[in-house]
Amino acid sequence: MTENSQIPIEIQQIIAPEDAYSYRVVPYAINNQKYLCYTDAEDLEKLQNELQVILNLSIELTTEKSELVDTLLSKNYRISSIQEAEAISYTQDFLEKILMTAKSIGSSDVHFEPFEEKCRVRYRLDGKLKEQFYIPIDEYPIIINKIKNRASLDISQNRLPQDGRISMQIGTNEFDIRVSTLRTLHGESIVLRILSKDTSTINLADLGFTEEELKTYREAIKNPNGIVLISGPTGSGKTTTLYATLKLLNEASTKILTIEDPIEYTLEGVNQVQLREDIGLDFPSAMRTFLRQDPDVIMVGEIRDVKTANMAIRAALTGHLVLSTIHTNSAWATVSRLIDMGVPPFLIASTLNISVAQRLVRKLCTICKKETSINVEEFPKSYKIPDDLKTHYIAEGCQACHHTGYSGRMALYEIIPITKELQTAIKAEHLEIDNYLSHNNIPQLKDHATRLIKEGITSLDEVFSLLVH
């Protein structure tokens, strides 16, 4: 086996990641019911006997170079660190192990997906899904029932979608898990969203704003009234930006109310309300109640319809600062979306303080990224390559980044403050503002994507879709 070979998940999962690192053993094939494994240990007989007892499987070890074992471990068994993995005390419950592993390696979602003969478990890491386990299809109902039990869902209901929540604790680290079930052809698919309660590491200055953008954004949120809208697709980091904003606004002299679905972080000093549409507590009804609670700042999880939009505008007109998200492709498209919903343009012009669009992109691993010359064929045909862009960096992969070529993510922002000139344009529904953006040096997502390519922070592949627009 070469260091670039991918171990099949069915074989990989016979040993837990922390055990693989601890014993320095990597299974790579199965032959006549015997699992073939690489190791760089010296005493093969002793290790083989110990593994057979621990795993209750027939094992055959082969000595390999330490460099190959290191590479295969880092590529196939992802843990945040050996020390952290050893500190976690896993129970015999497979579900507990899956959830704790997901949390320890920084996964945002866990997907359980049933098929005809088996169920696969995938983790979302840095925005990308990676297969982690396979579960025999006859054992899958046991896992489903355990999840439903923990989330207080109806075990007997497997035809209709259900939503629930699980609270977990690893040492001193508490976190919640949002559970969503959906009936598919071969059984119920379940997605678990890991929600961190810790906001200590969330700061506006660390999210990806440029210095000028941060200054502009801070000025907009310091207004005592008006609307701040953040747009982008699902998983683009909108909620994290909102919480970083609330954290900055959270003072003893300010009352903040939020209505969310779900509550992803908990903020001391902020009054947070969970959306409950099943009992009539939706965004518009919550907003009506909020206005009688004497708040200074209101955060609405998402503007989904004209009722919510009108309530947000009403709150802004009566002296409140309203923060929310909306699903659009760019900062200026937010205005078009509100008009399409049926919101009068003059109300948008008089209440909207700033419109923000954002995306999350993976950052290249600083250890293994490789510089290469520009190939025009690799860029979108509609994209004009800047004259000063002669080289760019590509993802290679190494042990430090688990052979993905990337390490961590950052946000890209497009920020449009609503000036008097734009207010006039909105009222007249003149929504073509490319010349305005260019004249006022307001960078768009495409411009930031180009900057990150030039600086070697991310790759062309990662921001290709942003360059098309």
Side-chain angles (χ1 to χ4, degrees):
M1 171 179 278
T2 66
E3 61 183 32
N4 294 321
S5 299
Q6 181 67 46
I7 300 170
I9 297 298
E10 299 95 323
I11 296 171
Q12 182 190 126
Q13 71 182 37
I14 69 162
I15 185 168
E18 65 277 10
D19 289 334
Y21 274 91
S22 178
Y23 291 105
R24 294 192 58 77
V25 61
V26 182
Y28 65 89
I30 183 170
N31 184 19
N32 295 327
Q33 302 301 311
K34 181 174 288 189
Y35 285 91
L36 311 181
C37 307
Y38 289 136
T39 184
D40 58 0
E42 295 181 359
D43 193 338
L44 294 188
E45 185 177 355
K46 179 183 177 183
L47 178 58
Q48 186 166 300
N49 291 336
E50 190 170 344
L51 285 173
Q52 288 184 163
V53 171
I54 292 173
L55 304 177
N56 194 27
L57 295 169
S58 179
I59 301 292
E60 181 178 311
L61 298 177
T62 302
T63 302
E64 263 296 349
K65 293 179 180 179
S66 293
E67 291 79 5
L68 176 62
V69 174
D70 284 335
T71 299
L72 292 174
L73 283 172
S74 64
K75 187 174 184 179
N76 294 281
Y77 294 101
R78 183 157 181 168
I79 56 177
S80 55
S81 68
I82 299 172
Q83 291 76 17
E84 181 176 350
E86 289 176 345
I88 297 173
S89 177
Y90 289 133
T91 67
Q92 295 301 310
D93 190 332
F94 184 59
L95 175 61
E96 295 284 333
K97 177 179 176 180
I98 288 175
L99 297 180
M100 289 180 176
T101 301
K103 177 63 177 175
S104 70
I105 65 175
S107 171
S108 61
D109 301 85
V110 183
H111 292 240
F112 293 81
E113 300 162 316
F115 298 99
E116 189 170 0
E117 297 180 353
K118 58 191 173 185
C119 161
R120 72 177 174 186
V121 180
R122 296 194 289 176
Y123 290 169
R124 189 174 291 280
L125 297 158
D126 289 338
K128 303 293 182 181
L129 284 169
K130 183 181 186 302
E131 289 184 340
Q132 200 74 16
F133 301 103
Y134 278 121
I135 301 172
I137 197 65
D138 57 337
E139 294 180 17
Y140 185 51
I142 300 173
I143 295 291
I144 288 180
N145 288 338
K146 285 182 178 180
I147 293 174
K148 286 185 172 181
N149 265 324
R150 294 289 298 273
S152 301
L153 299 179
D154 184 355
I155 295 176
S156 63
Q157 177 59 266
N158 60 13
R159 292 180 297 174
L160 295 175
Q162 296 188 72
D163 294 298
R165 201 177 183 95
I166 298 173
S167 293
M168 290 198 70
Q169 183 168 349
I170 299 177
T172 58
N173 187 9
E174 293 183 15
F175 61 97
D176 287 343
I177 298 170
R178 184 180 66 182
V179 181
S180 173
T181 72
L182 176 68
R183 178 74 184 189
T184 62
L185 178 63
H186 298 293
E188 284 183 281
S189 171
I190 297 183
V191 176
L192 309 181
R193 165 65 60 88
I194 299 174
L195 310 172
S196 174
K197 293 185 176 182
D198 182 19
T199 58
S200 61
T201 59
I202 299 178
N203 292 293
L204 276 177
D206 300 329
L207 297 182
F209 289 103
T210 64
E211 195 172 321
E212 188 62 32
E213 287 172 340
L214 185 58
K215 180 182 177 183
T216 302
Y217 185 71
R218 281 175 177 268
E219 287 177 1
I221 64 175
K222 288 298 182 181
N223 282 325
N225 57 276
I227 299 175
V228 174
L229 283 181
I230 301 175
S231 66
T234 301
S236 59
K238 301 186 298 295
T239 302
T240 300
T241 301
L242 277 182
Y243 276 106
T245 306
L246 290 178
K247 189 177 176 182
L248 185 67
L249 297 173
N250 189 14
E251 299 174 351
S253 58
T254 303
K255 177 161 184 175
I256 302 175
L257 286 170
T258 76
I259 174 71
E260 307 168 60
D261 182 29
I263 297 173
E264 295 198 19
Y265 301 90
T266 54
L267 279 169
E268 185 72 28
V270 175
N271 300 276
Q272 297 173 266
V273 178
Q274 171 67 48
L275 188 78
R276 288 287 305 276
E277 291 183 327
D278 56 326
I279 60 172
L281 183 60
D282 54 14
F283 286 131
S285 63
M287 288 284 287
R288 280 191 289 272
T289 304
F290 281 7
L291 294 179
R292 295 192 289 270
Q293 288 282 314
D294 189 30
D296 298 293
V297 179
I298 295 172
M299 193 267 267
V300 187
E302 182 185 345
I303 291 182
R304 299 175 179 172
D305 50 45
V306 68
K307 284 185 179 179
T308 309
N310 284 332
M311 287 304 302
I313 285 172
R314 177 181 165 188
L317 289 172
T318 53
H320 304 89
L321 179 65
V322 180
L323 312 175
S324 190
T325 68
I326 191 168
H327 285 282
T328 59
N329 290 325
S330 67
W332 189 243
T334 294
V335 175
S336 302
R337 176 81 178 106
L338 291 173
I339 293 174
D340 290 343
M341 280 184 180
V343 180
F346 75 92
L347 287 179
I348 301 172
S350 58
T351 56
L352 187 59
N353 291 349
I354 193 168
S355 182
V356 179
Q358 73 175 85
R359 299 290 190 277
L360 277 181
V361 298
R362 293 182 295 169
K363 295 190 291 183
L364 283 166
C365 174
T366 56
I367 296 174
C368 66
K369 65 180 182 181
K370 181 181 177 182
E371 190 173 12
T372 184
S373 299
I374 290 293
N375 181 354
V376 177
E377 299 299 321
E378 295 176 347
F379 287 80
K381 290 182 179 179
S382 60
Y383 178 71
K384 186 179 183 303
I385 302 174
D387 294 335
D388 58 346
L389 185 57
K390 304 297 184 184
T391 64
H392 67 115
Y393 287 84
I394 58 174
E396 280 284 286
C398 65
Q399 292 180 36
C401 62
H402 301 279
H403 292 270
T404 62
Y406 298 91
S407 179
R409 291 190 292 176
M410 67 177 293
L412 293 185
Y413 291 95
E414 180 178 284
I415 295 181
I416 301 179
I418 307 302
T419 60
K420 289 184 179 179
E421 187 176 343
L422 289 182
Q423 286 177 352
T424 302
I426 293 171
K427 289 176 184 177
E429 294 190 52
H430 294 155
L431 303 183
E432 180 54 58
I433 64 163
D434 285 348
N435 290 335
Y436 172 87
L437 296 178
S438 177
H439 180 72
N440 289 275
N441 296 318
I442 297 176
Q444 298 176 268
L445 290 171
K446 180 192 296 186
D447 301 317
H448 284 307
T450 301
R451 173 177 60 84
L452 294 187
I453 293 174
K454 287 181 181 178
E455 295 174 0
I457 295 174
T458 194
S459 68
L460 170 61
D461 289 341
E462 189 68 10
V463 295
F464 186 91
S465 61
L466 297 179
L467 301 179
V468 174
H469 299 291

